[in-house]
Amino acid sequence: MFQSPGVKIEVINTGTELLLGNTLNTHGAWFGRELFQLGLRISRQTTVPDGDAIREALAESLVRADAVIVTGGLGPTSDDLTREITAEVLGLELITDEAALRSLEGFFTSRGRTMVAANLKQALCPVGADILPNANGTAPGIYVPPRLNGRSNAAVFLLPGPPRELYPMFHAEVPPRLRALSGVEKINEALVLKFTGVGESDFHHGIDARLSEIPGLEYGYCAHIGEVDLRLIGDAEAIREAREITLAHFEPHLISENGASLEKTVVRLLKQRGMTLATAESCTGGLISNRITNVPGSSEVFTHGYVTYANEAKRAMLGVPAADLETHGAVSEQVARAMAEGALRESGAGIAVAVTGIAGPGGGTEEKPVGTAWCGLAVKGGETRTFKFYHPRGRKDFKQSVSQSALEAVRRRLKEL
């Protein structure tokens, strides 16, 4: 179920570099998070190159939206045309704002630099609009209130493109104006439940019908390799009811209730149980240990990461019997077991996980096709368990999938201890 926001907000990100792939556009996710905290949502987001394409995008957004946020194109160069195009589309005259001009002059004077004539355009502002100060650069922002012109009832925010200038300006100038426009008084809560070992179709058949019956609840899914996020948005009671329904069906597959990654959850469980972890990896090439060590504080619980890609490394570093390698092959239950037990023994850790598999595209057989992997899980003072995985994907996704399955095996074992 989707709850329509009280005010329709569209974002237009300008910059040819964003479309060429030279610069990663991080504004989309950032705006989404910031606006949600205000009780607002983005209804549409568009990215256009510098220049005339801004005109068409802005004209279209003004018809649909109550507020339009435009980023970029406020600099002094010839392709920085956002303010000029906005004034043209809205039918407003551009005039020099004296306060903005003095701020520009002060910026260059304080740095002992001479301001060239090209910078003067940055002090231009549509008649009746507000200048938004920029404490971190030369390009001030602009706020055009609704009904300032006869062409649109939408409010327009022009903000600089660089994050170091955009984010502080947004926080200082945009929220009060959006609150006044939207009249939002009650901000919904949000909960992200992260699961592994189940797919979106399992949720569809299991709980969709019941979730759709909860008044005021918005829910949706986001699938990743080996994971599904369930997003719940609504008031506290709606989220509580949806959470209870969901966990009644899928709690064994729950990774976290705060969006925390699987590796972060594993590190947390290790700390709670006072245990340490070692890894022994063949087909994943160190990805499992990399994921673990990306978590702050992992040094308290992670001891060793063995990358034993070659059979000789498996024998020399982990003590895998040559007979197991020769008889069963590197990708086998026996070798995965021996790798895990060897890592446990050599590292002195409390739990060890090992993986060996066939990433492809070659090397597969009818008995062991590409995508086959075995996992061994050894615990000090406990039984060693083995698991067989089948992830027929490209090499990169295969490695991610195997690392996910291995970490999930660790998570489940830790939950038992």
Side-chain angles (χ1 to χ4, degrees), residues 7-254:
V7 57
K8 291 183 178 179
I9 301 173
E10 295 200 11
V11 176
I12 302 173
N13 296 304
T14 74
T16 302
E17 69 279 3
L18 301 178
L19 296 172
L20 293 177
N22 298 328
T23 300
L24 180 64
N25 182 7
T26 58
H27 292 346
W30 187 85
F31 273 123
R33 291 191 299 269
E34 294 296 320
L35 291 171
F36 184 79
Q37 293 176 25
L38 302 176
L40 303 171
R41 310 284 284 278
I42 298 175
S43 60
R44 184 175 302 208
Q45 191 155 188
T46 307
T47 303
V48 296
D50 298 309
D52 289 340
I54 301 172
R55 181 180 292 103
E56 180 180 352
L58 181 59
E60 291 178 354
S61 291
L62 289 172
V63 174
R64 296 184 297 258
D66 301 305
V68 181
I69 300 174
V70 186
T71 70
L74 300 179
T77 61
S78 59
D79 59 352
D80 290 318
L81 299 172
T82 298
R83 68 173 62 79
E84 291 87 344
I85 290 174
T86 300
E88 175 191 330
V89 171
L90 295 177
L92 297 173
E93 179 186 358
L94 279 174
I95 60 172
T96 297
D97 184 275
E98 292 301 323
L101 180 59
R102 289 194 297 272
S103 178
L104 272 172
E105 292 171 341
F107 179 90
F108 284 95
T109 299
S110 66
R111 289 161 175 76
R113 295 164 52 191
T114 300
M115 186 177 74
V116 298
N119 286 104
L120 293 174
K121 66 183 288 187
Q122 293 182 292
L124 294 175
C125 180
V127 174
D130 299 336
I131 284 289
L132 307 180
N134 186 350
N136 300 283
T138 62
I142 293 172
Y143 171 62
V144 184
R147 294 179 294 280
L148 182 61
N149 62 92
R151 301 187 183 183
S152 171
N153 289 327
V156 180
F157 296 87
L158 306 184
L159 306 177
R164 63 182 177 82
E165 300 178 35
L166 166 61
Y167 297 171
M169 184 183 293
F170 176 92
H171 287 143
E173 305 291 341
V174 177
R177 292 177 168 91
L178 284 180
R179 287 195 189 98
L181 287 172
S182 66
V184 172
E185 297 180 359
K186 183 178 180 181
I187 299 176
N188 280 331
E189 298 179 14
L191 177 66
V192 176
L193 301 175
K194 188 179 288 291
F195 298 88
T196 189
V198 288
E200 288 179 281
S201 59
D202 296 304
F203 288 93
H204 176 73
H205 292 294
I207 61 172
D208 261 12
R210 294 187 63 189
L211 293 182
S212 66
E213 295 172 353
I214 300 176
L217 177 72
E218 176 188 341
Y219 66 93
Y221 307 102
C222 183
H224 314 278
I225 292 179
E227 292 183 1
V228 175
D229 296 345
L230 171 60
R231 181 182 63 255
L232 303 173
I233 300 174
D235 60 32
E237 177 57 26
I239 290 179
R240 183 199 63 77
E241 185 178 351
R243 176 184 175 277
E244 288 185 358
I245 291 172
T246 304
L247 295 188
H249 284 73
F250 299 109
E251 186 168 15
H253 301 278
L254 179 68

Side-chain angles (χ1 to χ4, degrees), residues 322-387:
D324 284 348
L325 289 164
E326 294 168 3
T327 304
H328 306 289
V331 181
S332 63
E333 179 180 12
Q334 292 80 2
V335 168
R337 178 186 296 273
M339 288 173 64
E341 292 176 346
L344 191 74
R345 180 182 61 254
E346 296 298 324
S347 68
I351 185 170
V353 63
V355 291
T356 177
I358 306 171
T365 65
E366 185 174 344
E367 181 184 356
K368 299 178 183 179
V370 170
T372 300
W374 277 95
C375 171
L377 188 60
V379 177
K380 185 176 293 185
E383 63 174 344
T384 300
R385 299 177 184 177
T386 55
F387 311 89

